[in-house]
Amino acid sequence: MNTRNEQLLQIVNQRKKIEVNELAALLHVSKVTIRKDLTLLEDQGLLQRQHGFAMINNPNDLKFRLAQNYDIKRQIAKVAAANVQDNETIMIESGSTCALMAAELAQAGKRVTIITISFFIANYVRDYPNISVNVLGGEYQPDSQVAVGPLTKAMLANFHTNKLFLGTDGFDTQFGFYSNDIMRADTVQAMVENAEQTIILTDSCKFQSKSTVRQLAFNQVDTVITDPQIPTNVQDLLQQNRINVTLA
């Protein structure tokens, strides 16, 4: 995504709905160029077009979360993807930054096998023949588009990978990382048991809230990849708990 497209996406996220003509004027380009840019962003699932307007996605849709802090998440995704080798098999839980990481691997042409609980991620990279995806079954959660529960955990027992990538919904200085869903948190625990390294991908704003369900304690996490806006005291705390912190 070029700088103009990032600016365009930021404007749409701020305004929620804006005329195509106004976007063209704000960005000092033709309406033809703006329409091409909007087509590209819509194809990536980052916004919607409707009768001469550009607008944000449904806030309950995963695509809406994908568009929030997009440039930061994409930079985190790039750094994470650089840690994956050609012909490697990895586990990915779910979440918008993890989806962008899968896309980075796909676009880089790396031959990677992904084991995931996320139907969204599987669909997000469906057009790339270099990416092989194994989606685990289980109880389907429509909002997050993931499989969770006992069946998912039973299937996980058949897999083992060197790296597990996942997102998080919140953080607490006493316990560690939090989720907003108890079933997903339980499934994450099973994924951690079947991976050598657990790597959390998150923008720094997640360190400002605790969320509701305990996800992972400090000693269950090996690496956090985040942006430079992470509070200094949090970065120090993570490193004191032997967690590698990589700033994207």
Side-chain angles (χ1 to χ4, degrees), residues 34-241:
I34 283 294
R35 290 192 185 99
K36 289 179 179 178
D37 289 346
L38 290 174
T39 297
L40 176 64
L41 293 173
E42 186 176 43
D43 288 345
Q44 293 177 351
L46 297 174
L47 51 73
Q48 296 180 42
R49 295 172 65 187
Q50 189 178 74
H51 306 305
F53 288 87
M55 56 194 296
I56 62 171
N57 286 305
N58 183 337
N60 294 321
D61 194 303
L62 243 176
K63 291 178 181 178
F64 173 81
R65 295 196 289 276
L66 187 69
Q68 308 309 301
N69 299 323
Y70 178 85
D71 53 341
I72 293 173
K73 290 178 179 178
R74 186 161 178 254
Q75 190 58 38
I76 293 168
K78 282 186 174 184
V79 172
N83 291 314
V84 178
Q85 307 302 313
D86 200 24
N87 294 311
E88 188 171 359
T89 297
I90 60 174
M91 257 196 287
I92 302 180
E93 185 235 351
S94 65
S96 54
T97 309
C98 286
L100 290 172
M101 183 197 118
E104 288 291 333
L105 292 170
Q107 291 162 13
K110 289 184 179 179
R111 294 177 295 278
V112 177
T113 298
I114 295 172
I115 299 165
T116 185
I117 63 172
S118 172
F119 289 78
F120 180 86
I121 288 176
N123 186 59
Y124 202 61
V125 295
R126 69 186 185 277
D127 294 328
Y128 294 89
N130 53 305
I131 302 293
S132 176
V133 183
N134 293 306
V135 185
L136 305 181
E139 181 181 334
Y140 183 67
Q141 295 185 329
D143 287 344
S144 55
Q145 298 182 41
V146 299
V148 295
L151 180 58
T152 310
K153 291 166 67 176
M155 295 181 71
L156 276 167
N158 297 307
F159 296 97
H160 186 88
T161 63
N162 183 37
K163 300 182 184 81
L164 162 65
F165 296 90
L166 68 151
T168 191
D169 296 316
F171 178 80
D172 177 81
T173 57
Q174 298 301 311
F175 173 78
F177 300 89
Y178 278 73
S179 171
N180 58 20
D181 184 274
I182 193 167
M183 294 288 283
R184 278 182 59 193
D186 183 56
T187 303
V188 164
Q189 290 283 344
M191 297 181 87
V192 169
E193 290 175 5
N194 291 281
E196 295 295 321
Q197 301 178 56
T198 297
I199 303 165
I200 290 180
L201 313 182
T202 181
D203 51 297
S204 60
C205 68
K206 298 294 177 59
F207 292 107
Q208 308 298 325
S209 60
K210 185 161 65 173
S211 197
T212 53
V213 181
R214 287 182 174 180
Q215 181 190 38
L216 294 174
F218 292 108
N219 63 1
Q220 294 177 288
V221 178
D222 297 285
T223 298
V224 169
I225 303 177
T226 187
D227 61 83
Q229 300 307 311
I230 179 175
T232 303
N233 66 309
V234 172
Q235 183 174 347
D236 291 343
L237 178 62
L238 293 174
Q239 291 171 333
Q240 288 165 14
N241 282 275

